[in-house]
Structure formats: structure tokens, C-alpha cells
Amino acid sequence: MRGCSILGGNRAPRRDVASTQMTPVARTDKVWYLRRVDFFARVDEAEMRAIADRTTMREVNRGRVILQPDEPPEMVYVIKGGRVKVSRYSPDGKEQILTLLEPGDLFGALAVVAGREQVHVEAFEDTLVCGIRGEDFLALIRRQPDLMLRVIRHLAARLRAAEEEIADLAFRNVPGRLASLLLRLSEEYGRHTLEGWRLALRLTHQDMAAMIGATRETVTSVLSRFREDGLIAFDRRHIVIRDPDGLRRLSWSP
């Protein structure tokens, strides 16, 4: 998902890192997994096997930290399965979720190219990641222009999403930001039902607050108002978008 707010501090509270909680995937499975990642779709067989020899595949449990802001930029990661969140933290521990990344997305590439990236990356659910040493990744994209173009497009998409979120924070109030977030979530995770667009992704009120730069209490209050106004409904722990046009009008309000 590419539509989360981007303000925040620099460091996250220190937590146990994922290196002690990862289960390695057998070498014989690596090519099979890598073949199913869009970034490597056009890489030839010999190059793919060379990549597999130089990569590590790890399973990361939900809530485990994969990258800390103070870690040197040594690895680039591609998500094979699951989902991760990229965040920043204020000095007092307040989280700002920058984005959620899905299978096929990568992270760590910007740090390898431009130096340390002050972000905190955590498994949002049980996740399978492929780790490539930074120097091997740079050598690979130099040899594979099509892969380099895919990486550029990926980073450009993240930049575009960040620019949109800056505009959200600058020009929309909390109800407008929350309406905008729900609409983006419905585009990426919505499943059409008789009741409306049911979000397959389950987020806590705290998650949504961290995405739009608000407090959990404010998000809870605004969601209750949306439900009373018939804009949304709740199905167990899932949100159902009942009136997308109403949310859209609200998202345009300053």
C-alpha cells in the first residue's frame, strides 16, 4: 500500500530485531521463490541462479523488526509473502506509519544508493523476505537495465505517494484525511459485497491514527461519526465502505 502519511521523528524504541527470529528457506527453493517476484520476472536462468547463491530468504514473524534506523545500509529486501510497515518515530515514541509494503515490493534500496535511511521496518504480518547484499544488488541492476527501470519506477511511485500524503497533512483536516485513507484502502484492499466495499486489510484504530497523523481517540470518534452518517459499517473487525461518494466529498473538504 502506498498511501500513508509521512511525518514523524527519527528513531523507534529499541526492540528485538528479526535476525534472531527468522527461519531460513532452503537454497533449492530460492529460484522458485525469486521467479515469482515481479522484479526478477525477466532475469535469465543463469543470472537467477547467481542471485539465489547470493541471497538469503527468511521468514519473519509478525511484529518482529527487520530494519532499525541506525543500521548501516548493507541489504536490500524484496517481499515474497506477507506485509511490512515502514515507520518513523518521534523522540517520545510516537509512531508515524509511512507506508505498507506488499509482496513484490522492495525496501532498503534507497539507503544502499543514498546512505542510511531513517526508517523502522517491521513485519506487519508473518512475512517472507529475500535479502540481497547491497553491493550485489547494485552490480545486478547495472547488468540488468530492465531491472534498474523497475526499481526506478518503484521508488518513483513511493515518492509520488509521499507527495500526496504531504498534501493531505497540509490541506485536509482529520475527517478529510481519514476519508481519503479509507478510499485508498478500498481501492487496494476492497472486496465488493452487498453491503459495500469490505476492506480485507484489518487495521486497528491506532494503525490508522499513525497513518494520518492523528490520535487513536480522534480516529475512533471520527469513525463512529462516519458510521452514524451511513458512510461506513463494521463487519466484525473489518470496515465496510457503504458510501464512497460521501467519503470522497468529505475528503475534498479542507
Side-chain angles (χ1 to χ4, degrees), residues 12 15 60-67 83-87 89 95 100 107 120-125 127:
R15 300 175 61 180
V60 189
N61 295 333
R62 174 183 171 87
R64 307 309 301 185
V65 177
I66 303 172
L67 286 178
R83 182 176 293 117
V84 307
K85 67 175 179 178
V86 182
S87 306
Y89 283 80
E95 181 184 23
L100 299 179
F107 58 93
H120 172 97
V121 182
E122 177 183 313
F124 198 68
E125 58 188 51
T127 300

Side-chain angles (χ1 to χ4, degrees), residues 131-226:
I132 308 172
R133 289 180 55 181
E135 58 192 55
D136 292 331
F137 179 78
L138 293 176
L140 173 64
I141 62 176
R142 290 189 188 104
R143 295 194 302 270
Q144 300 283 336
D146 181 72
L147 181 58
M148 182 182 291
L149 182 59
R150 287 170 181 260
V151 171
I152 292 172
R153 286 174 175 167
H154 172 78
L155 295 177
R158 288 184 61 183
L159 176 60
R160 185 178 301 113
E163 291 172 342
E164 291 173 357
E165 292 310 313
I166 291 174
D168 270 1
L169 288 174
F171 303 125
R172 292 188 171 109
N173 57 19
V174 172
R177 297 203 299 270
L178 186 54
S180 179
L181 173 65
L182 292 175
L183 289 170
R184 289 195 299 272
L185 292 173
S186 70
E187 291 176 358
E188 298 196 35
Y189 303 105
R191 296 178 182 175
H192 192 261
T193 69
L194 293 177
E195 297 296 320
W197 291 94
R198 184 176 187 269
L199 301 185
L201 177 67
R202 293 194 299 185
L203 295 171
T204 67
H205 292 187
Q206 183 60 53
D207 290 332
M208 288 184 278
M211 290 177 176
I212 65 170
T215 65
R216 180 187 59 79
E217 293 80 7
T218 300
V219 166
T220 298
S221 175
V222 174
L223 286 174
S224 295
R225 192 190 319 162
F226 285 179

Side-chain angles (χ1 to χ4, degrees), residues 17-38:
V17 296
S19 59
T20 60
Q21 298 292 327
M22 291 180 167
T23 303
V25 174
R27 160 65 180 83
T28 54
D29 294 333
K30 287 183 184 177
V31 173
W32 186 88
Y33 277 115
L34 290 170
R35 277 288 178 206
R36 283 151 182 79
V37 175
D38 286 344

